[in-house]
Amino acid sequence: MSKSASRLSAAQSPRARRRRIVSGVFAGACVLATLVALAALALILWELVARGVPALSLDLFTVDQPAPGSLGGLRNAIVGSIEMCALGMVIALVVGVLAGTWLAEYGRKGRLATVVRFFNDVLLAAPSILVGLFVYEIMVAPFGGFSGYAGAVALAFLATPIVVRTTEDMLSLQPDALREAGMALGAGRGFVIRTVIWRAAGPGILTGGLLALARISGETAPLLFTSLGNQFLAANPSDPMASLPTTIFQFALSAFPDWQQLAWAGALLIALAVLLANIAGRLIGSRRHRP
Amino acid sequence: MNRRMILALGAVAMVSGLSGCGGKSGAANALNGAGATFPAPVYAKWAETYRSAKSVAVNYQAIGSGGGIKQIEAKTVDFGASDKPLKPEELEKNGLYQFPTVIGGVVPVINLPGIKPGQVRLTGQALADIFQGKVKTWNDPEIASLNAGVALPKLPITVVHRSDGSGTSFMFTSYLASQSAGWKSAVGASDTVNWPTGLGGKGNDGVSAFVQQTVGAIGYVEYAYAKQNGATYALLRNQAGNYPAPTADAFAAAAAGADWSKAPGNYIMLIDQPGQDTWPISGATFILMHKQPKDAARAKAVLAFFDWAYTSGDDTAKKLDYVPLPDSVKAMVRQQWQTSIVANGKPVYTRRPSKP
Amino acid sequence: MTATTQGRVAPGNLAETVFRIACASAATLLLAALAGVIVSLAIGGWPVLSTFGFGFLTSSEWNPVTDVYGAAGPIVGTLITAFLALILALPLALGVSLFLVEFCPPALARPVAVAVELLAGIPSIVYGMWGLFVFAPWFAAHVQVPLLLAAGDDTWWGKLVQGVPNGANIFTASVILAIMILPYMSSVFRELFLTVPATLREAAYGLGCTPFETARSVLIPYVRRSMIGVVMLGLGRALGETMAVTFIIGNAHGFPHSMFDSGSTLASTIANEFAEATGALHGAALMALGLVLFCITFGVLAIARLLIGEKAA
């Protein structure tokens, strides 16, 4: 920075002009990058809407998936997806919040905590098809049957690391003064965590949960060998269960136009659900998280 | 809060415990099958009709032939399905029995400017040389000599194959191996091979998209897929020296020409069968079951479903561009059911004399 | 952390103990889960690893008919696509996040941020199909063909752009991957930039810095270590992505010879072939690919950890 030159003369020097131009180019590049990202989104969404909207109707929610040439909807897949995602999220939230709490409050910088944290990141990047195969080995093959429960556990595997990470991050953001204040009143450490810290970090953890939900709601690969899929409505998770992504996968690659259209409608439904979850998460999260 | 946490943990424990009871038993009105992708649409249609007629839900999921074989061996499903018949010794090893359901075929599709469906004629040897990368342009003498009078452009050939393991690739490579010694020794026949050239698309969809997007491309797809999409197909020379169009009749001719009774374990491939109008790349798709099922009631229900499909499912199959089995083959399979699938020394399923 | 917060659990306080044990066992469960996945892969892949030994990693021959397997092709494909995706996504993610932090009108910031994050919620198969039906043909017609026509066969860049002009190649796969990891990277970058103390930024502007100079000299240096970690995590996601890549990479075993040649990745090979793998070693070979992928992920994350330091964890 020019210390001696006055602002006025600096603004008129060639060097200042160059700085202004560089900065302008930089701003333009940033805007361009954002436009590229938004354009990609718009193009993909347009494809989803153009191909999926014609198949949107009430039948989509009230009728089960059809065979080619029959009329039908995606009720069995929607119900299955909701049940398995909900069950998976319950498991992920319980395990993830507890593990994240351990990392942030008990393990902290210990060696074990470092290892757990690292492994959690590895799980975060694990290819989902391998997770599905593992759950198949521990839950499907030994008990002789595909089930919605197995699908939910596979999804939980994918959601938990995200919850762990956000929980730990959010808890670490809470000032130690909060903890000390609670304990100064004579409360136990765990009690303070549950009543004070969790409450303070709640919206942030919820945001993490919603991100995790977004991730698992579109997963196909881990469900193929766990929940298998079901052509008919199965409300009981101990049976093989349909899910939107597996149904989309099957229909999208088929030869039949009516199936292909249902596949796009299903993909549109997932994108809309994720959008809603994301907006809800942001609204809740922003109340506290954003300074 | 604490109590709630313990309750939640308890719930997780229950969930994992319950999953142990996920294994199926008892009620035979909800059956599960898994395997080959190729017949999935027709099984879905049969199941839909069967459910409204008989209140039995037959849930079939397309996870691939390999998956179907593995899952029936692991007894996680009531029946498996495969596009690739198992050899008799493989069946024996796992105590399995297989029977065919419907027939389909594989069709080479091309993308050449100005060329209409059925205008280009190929032999098995020429097709093998193309897929081996030996024939590189469309005006190569090997192709031109088969196509007198067709203006073949001087375009490089782009080979498109399936990237995913598939029964379609198995049929296609089996055909090439049967026609070309060079292909047989250098590449071989399987559901996934070490392709000498070209690029892979995922599923029929991926292959068809790449062929359509690449001028000078050649690929192969299931007959149903080629027909639904109005693809530009090439003709193939059959054993009789004719070039039949790939139609349902040409596939049925392949099944009719084969000698099923001399195929132990129903191990039969309909590659290059005799007959004037036989399409050379045809094949049946198979159902796999245990010879001595763990649960006789469920095995019985499965056979009842396929018996019904044999009787009432032909029209449905035709509408979806599958070819039904000849009646003689159906009768033979029904006979086999009496002796092949037994529990406590008795046939699991006995067909009622009256029409079901 | 202070001594008081490290306080011991009062003996006899059952609820405290139960809670602590519950937290610790949840953390242990995570370890067990990952260990389980790795052990099951190692067991599943062992037949192939013991048959081919180290050659499994260096051979590029992949032949299910003769049961000979080498992972070099997919390993190279995985690394190339992931790094290329990163190179494409990094400037975009930086641009988007700096736009949101520095230039965007406040009223627009939230909708734009939500929109970019929505990219993360689109199912992978949709990316694949969009890539196959929309992006690949466009790319072939408007990028690949002009480049092919402009380049001579003998120039180095002519060799680089050789390939069948249909858009199914490692470069288009990388572009799709870049779009997929972009939302993750840009939103975490944004979070990081927002942690830069306002006083620092204001000081920079007060000295007369332009936004570019502020970003270059203040924002980015302040969060550099954490940024590298985020980049590595994005790389991790790109390494493991399956479905979208499978649609568009062309799925040829062996090494790609140019940027526009088909290739394959570890994850795409597993997804492609697992359903039909019935050969003696075929299934085991795919499991071994999974193990290799895990090892690569491990390595990438370990480097990320070293660079990011425990501070930002």
Side-chain angles (χ1 to χ4, degrees):
Chain A
M1 306 303 123
S2 54
K3 277 186 220 149
S4 52
S6 79
R7 292 276 288 138
L8 196 65
S9 65
Q12 284 155 350
S13 72
R15 182 154 168 269
R17 195 176 311 133
R18 204 176 61 232
R19 285 177 54 206
R20 270 216 318 279
I21 291 171
V22 167
S23 199
V25 169
F26 167 70
C30 286
V31 172
L32 188 70
T34 310
L35 287 179
V36 167
L38 292 179
L41 176 74
L43 285 170
I44 294 171
L45 277 186
W46 167 248
E47 199 70 12
L48 273 183
V49 169
R51 300 210 195 192
V53 162
L56 283 184
S57 69
L58 200 59
D59 279 358
L60 208 58
F61 303 96
T62 58
V63 188
D64 288 344
Q65 71 184 68
S70 314
L71 287 175
L74 292 169
R75 180 183 65 164
N76 57 333
I78 294 171
V79 170
S81 263
I82 290 176
E83 273 190 42
M84 283 192 288
C85 285
L87 209 53
M89 283 311 296
V90 167
I91 301 173
L93 282 173
V94 171
V95 177
V97 169
L98 286 180
T101 305
W102 185 82
L103 281 175
E105 303 289 338
Y106 295 106
R108 293 218 163 181
K109 287 180 182 167
R111 181 164 298 168
L112 185 59
T114 312
V115 172
V116 170
R117 209 168 278 133
F118 178 72
F119 276 28
N120 186 60
D121 282 354
V122 175
L123 265 184
L124 202 64
S128 50
I129 189 167
L130 297 180
V131 170
L133 290 179
F134 176 64
V135 174
Y136 172 85
E137 293 294 338
I138 61 167
M139 282 184 74
V140 177
F143 301 113
F146 296 96
S147 69
Y149 287 124
V153 169
L155 293 180
F157 256 89
L158 299 169
T160 307
I162 302 175
V163 177
V164 172
R165 231 191 133 75
T166 32
T167 302
E168 196 205 341
D169 289 349
M170 295 306 154
L171 294 188
S172 314
L173 283 177
Q174 307 308 321
D176 274 343
L178 261 186
R179 299 177 176 89
E180 284 155 14
M183 283 175 15
L185 291 174
R189 185 166 168 69
F191 186 77
V192 172
I193 294 172
R194 294 192 302 273
T195 51
V196 181
I197 307 292
W198 276 3
R199 185 159 300 167
I205 298 175
L206 190 68
T207 310
L210 286 163
L211 275 175
L213 182 63
R215 161 99 201 261
I216 62 174
S217 60
E219 282 287 353
T220 314
L223 294 176
L224 284 177
F225 296 99
T226 52
S227 71
L228 186 66
N230 201 326
Q231 186 180 349
F232 307 104
L233 183 67
N236 181 352
S238 60
D239 294 327
M241 215 172 201
S243 66
L244 275 173
T246 47
T247 306
I248 291 171
F249 187 60
Q250 184 195 349
F251 282 13
L253 296 179
S254 77
F256 306 97
D258 50 342
W259 268 14
Q260 287 165 0
Q261 201 172 54
L262 272 178
W264 286 100
L268 184 61
L269 281 186
I270 294 180
L272 286 178
V274 167
L275 178 64
L276 287 180
N278 202 324
I279 290 174
R282 248 164 206 283
L283 287 180
I284 298 164
S286 64
R287 249 187 278 144
R288 251 202 93 85
H289 186 39
R290 282 279 159 265
Chain B
M1 198 73 175
N2 190 30
R3 206 170 303 144
R4 220 180 295 165
M5 184 54 64
I6 291 167
L7 277 178
L9 278 177
V12 174
M14 262 171 58
V15 166
S16 33
L18 271 175
S19 68
C21 317
K24 51 196 75 88
S25 58
N29 61 0
L31 305 169
N32 293 300
T37 327
F38 156 71
V42 67
Y43 292 173
K45 188 76 181 180
W46 283 346
E48 193 177 272
T49 320
Y50 192 65
R51 193 193 189 207
S52 37
K54 310 270 170 179
S55 302
V56 176
V58 183
N59 169 37
Y60 180 78
Q61 293 298 318
I63 60 170
S65 299
I69 295 167
K70 270 181 242 163
Q71 296 316 322
I72 188 66
E73 282 173 4
K75 300 184 179 162
T76 53
V77 287
D78 300 308
F79 63 94
S82 173
D83 292 338
K84 176 165 125 174
L86 287 182
K87 298 211 172 80
E89 58 269 23
E90 288 172 309
L91 290 173
E92 204 53 51
K93 199 175 75 189
N94 290 297
L96 293 174
Y97 161 75
Q98 71 189 355
F99 61 92
T101 51
V102 288
I103 295 160
V106 178
V107 177
V109 290
I110 57 174
N111 177 356
L112 280 176
I115 300 286
K116 289 192 262 307
Q119 233 183 334
V120 169
R121 299 173 161 207
L122 295 170
T123 60
Q125 181 69 49
L127 198 60
D129 288 343
I130 290 172
F131 271 78
Q132 228 177 323
K134 288 181 185 166
V135 170
K136 291 186 191 322
T137 55
W138 281 103
N139 60 351
D140 188 279
E142 189 172 352
I143 304 176
S145 64
L146 298 164
N147 292 285
V150 181
L152 287 167
K154 189 189 168 205
L155 272 172
I157 299 179
T158 302
V159 167
V160 183
H161 53 76
R162 287 282 289 267
S163 66
D164 44 343
S166 113
T168 311
S169 294
F170 173 70
M171 277 201 245
F172 187 73
T173 52
S174 297
Y175 171 68
L176 296 185
S178 76
Q179 300 295 300
S180 154
W183 181 273
K184 193 175 181 183
S185 62
V187 187
S190 181
D191 30 39
T192 319
V193 299
N194 188 14
W195 295 99
T197 181
L199 68 149
K202 182 147 179 71
N204 287 297
D205 215 23
V207 170
S208 142
F210 283 150
V211 170
Q212 276 169 28
Q213 288 162 17
T214 316
V215 174
I218 181 166
Y220 59 91
V221 293
E222 282 160 16
Y223 163 62
Y225 204 90
K227 189 171 172 211
Q228 295 276 347
N229 288 270
T232 306
Y233 53 85
L235 298 180
L236 289 173
R237 187 164 76 191
N238 64 16
Q239 246 192 49
N242 296 334
Y243 291 88
T247 59
D249 291 343
F251 299 114
D259 191 351
W260 292 76
S261 61
K262 290 199 184 110
N266 292 334
Y267 180 80
I268 194 163
M269 295 188 45
L270 305 178
I271 298 296
D272 201 30
Q273 293 294 317
Q276 291 295 314
D277 304 313
T278 299
W279 182 257
I281 321 179
S282 311
T285 183
F286 297 83
I287 294 295
L288 293 161
M289 292 178 71
H290 283 279
K291 280 182 175 166
Q292 292 180 326
K294 183 176 63 174
D295 187 333
R298 298 182 73 88
K300 180 182 173 186
V302 171
L303 290 178
F305 169 68
F306 284 105
D307 190 11
W308 171 89
Y310 274 3
T311 309
S312 326
D314 285 0
D315 288 339
T316 311
K318 282 181 197 157
K319 248 180 238 153
L320 296 175
D321 300 313
Y322 295 86
V323 180
L325 292 172
D327 285 340
S328 58
V329 176
K330 286 183 190 168
M332 181 196 78
V333 170
R334 279 173 168 143
Q335 201 60 47
Q336 289 172 355
W337 289 346
Q338 304 302 314
T339 51
S340 296
I341 302 190
V342 292
N344 304 322
K346 275 188 251 163
V348 159
Y349 174 73
T350 313
R351 200 160 178 247
R352 265 177 268 137
S354 63
K355 207 168 175 250
Chain C
M1 198 189 335
T2 60
T4 43
T5 57
Q6 275 291 53
R8 301 237 160 16
V9 176
N13 191 338
L14 185 66
E16 287 294 312
T17 318
V18 166
F19 180 71
R20 190 179 174 141
I21 290 176
C23 287
S25 39
T28 319
L29 195 63
L30 272 182
L31 283 184
L34 186 73
V37 174
I38 290 171
V39 166
S40 77
L41 282 179
I43 294 173
W46 180 246
V48 156
L49 295 173
S50 61
T51 309
F52 300 105
F54 194 66
F56 181 71
L57 295 178
T58 53
S59 156
S60 70
E61 173 159 14
W62 182 271
N63 192 336
V65 179
T66 52
D67 256 344
V68 173
Y69 302 98
I75 289 176
V76 170
T78 302
L79 292 176
I80 294 179
T81 48
F83 279 105
L84 216 55
L86 202 60
I87 292 169
L88 293 168
L90 185 57
L92 280 179
L94 270 179
V96 171
S97 53
L98 285 171
F99 170 77
L100 287 172
V101 173
E102 291 291 326
F103 303 109
C104 187
L108 264 183
R110 184 175 292 173
V112 171
V114 169
V116 174
E117 273 173 32
L118 183 56
L119 278 172
I122 291 173
S124 180
I125 180 176
V126 172
Y127 277 103
M129 293 177 63
W130 181 77
L132 177 64
F133 292 116
V134 182
F135 183 68
W138 178 88
F139 183 84
H142 295 96
V143 180
Q144 235 182 323
V145 170
L147 276 177
L148 269 178
L149 292 177
D153 277 353
D154 297 330
T155 56
W156 63 269
W157 64 285
K159 289 202 173 69
L160 203 62
V161 299
Q162 264 172 8
V164 179
N166 61 5
N169 52 52
I170 51 173
F171 185 78
T172 43
S174 307
V175 173
I176 298 289
L177 274 181
I179 300 176
M180 294 179 77
I181 61 173
L182 170 67
Y184 175 72
M185 286 173 63
S186 66
S187 54
V188 184
F189 277 164
R190 175 167 172 258
E191 303 276 326
L192 286 177
F193 289 141
L194 287 173
T195 64
V196 176
T199 46
L200 270 182
R201 279 172 62 202
E202 280 156 17
Y205 282 120
L207 283 171
C209 284
T210 63
F212 170 68
E213 287 155 352
T214 313
R216 195 190 55 182
S217 320
V218 178
L219 291 183
I220 294 179
Y222 188 83
V223 298
R224 179 176 287 145
R225 279 170 80 82
S226 309
M227 272 176 71
I228 297 172
V230 174
V231 169
M232 296 305 253
L233 286 177
L235 187 62
R237 288 297 293 271
L239 288 168
E241 171 52 41
T242 314
M243 216 57 104
V245 177
T246 308
F247 272 85
I248 200 170
I249 196 168
N251 301 294
H253 292 300
F255 301 116
H257 297 291
S258 75
M259 216 164 60
F260 294 157
D261 197 4
S262 343
S264 62
T265 70
L266 292 164
S268 79
T269 307
I270 297 171
N272 265 327
E273 298 184 11
F274 192 82
E276 302 284 334
T278 46
L281 288 177
H282 198 178
L286 296 173
M287 291 291 211
L289 287 188
L291 195 62
V292 171
L293 181 53
F294 253 112
C295 293
I296 293 179
T297 312
F298 248 96
V300 166
L301 288 175
I303 297 170
R305 276 272 155 237
L306 286 179
L307 296 172
I308 200 174
E310 270 312 302
K311 180 181 60 166

